[in-house]
Amino acid sequence: VPVTSITGLPTSATAGEALTLSGTVAPADATNKTITWSVIGVSTTGATISGNTLSTTGEGVALIRATVVNGFTASSDYTRDFMITVNPAFVPVTGISGVPTSATAGSPLTLSGTVEPADATNKTITWNVASAGTTGASISGDTLSTTAAGTATIRATITNGLAASSDYTQDFTVTVNAAFVPVTGISGVP
């Protein structure tokens, strides 16, 4: 029974992380179903295969061949070439700096920060109030609004910042000063 296809092949990998290659041979009752793997196009990925494990050193596209020996006929192999996109290695967030530390009650404050390192894989910061204290703090998008003086704790979260499935969070203290009240006049001068 000849092989008609190999499906379920991987399409992406991460540089520096081993990927176990696998696929499903069809039909299920094919005479030969053992897949052997080889690299036929390395590009900038540095791709190598040992058994069924793909190793890469850089990002790019690797061309891989899946072969079932004697899969097409009793004396000819079935082959299927496919591409794997190798993404850059994941770079975790190590910190956020430059976040504002003071605000004035009643005046909106735009929250911002610098994600470290600069080449972190994920760098989008989402803000929320961890503790409003007496400030009446609330956040909409990246704007902090407060209604009274005090201290608020603001939390910065970077989704998948520590790892592909682990968020990075960091808390910041913002001192909220009383709203400025202008002098409107001076009276009672002799």
Side-chain angles (χ1 to χ4, degrees):
V1 178
V3 173
T4 58
S5 69
I6 300 174
T7 60
L9 298 166
T11 58
S12 65
T14 301
E17 295 181 18
L19 174 68
T20 301
L21 298 170
S22 63
T24 302
V25 174
D29 64 344
T31 303
N32 295 312
K33 296 188 285 190
T34 302
I35 302 171
T36 56
W37 310 94
S38 58
V39 177
I40 57 174
V42 176
S43 78
T44 58
T45 65
T48 58
I49 293 178
S50 176
N52 65 343
T53 302
L54 173 69
S55 298
T56 55
T57 57
E59 64 183 294
V61 176
L63 187 57
I64 307 299
R65 177 168 288 162
T67 302
V68 177
V69 175
N70 299 331
F72 194 64
T73 67
S75 60
S76 63
D77 301 341
Y78 177 90
T79 61
R80 165 108 190 266
D81 295 345
F82 62 101
M83 293 185 295
I84 294 181
T85 300
V86 181
N87 300 307
F90 183 84
V91 178
V93 174
T94 58
I96 301 171
S97 61
V99 175
T101 58
S102 64
T104 301
S107 296
L109 174 67
T110 300
L111 297 170
S112 62
T114 302
V115 177
E116 298 162 353
D119 63 343
T121 300
N122 296 311
K123 297 187 279 192
T124 303
I125 302 172
T126 303
W127 304 95
N128 64 22
V129 177
S131 173
T134 60
T135 68
S138 64
I139 293 178
S140 176
D142 63 354
T143 302
L144 171 67
S145 298
T146 56
T147 58
T151 302
T153 303
I154 306 304
R155 178 164 294 148
T157 302
I158 298 176
T159 302
N160 299 331
L162 282 180
S165 60
S166 181
D167 298 345
Y168 176 88
T169 61
Q170 187 173 342
D171 290 348
F172 300 92
T173 300
V174 176
T175 302
V176 180
N177 301 306
F180 180 79
V181 179
V183 173
T184 58
I186 300 173
S187 62
V189 177

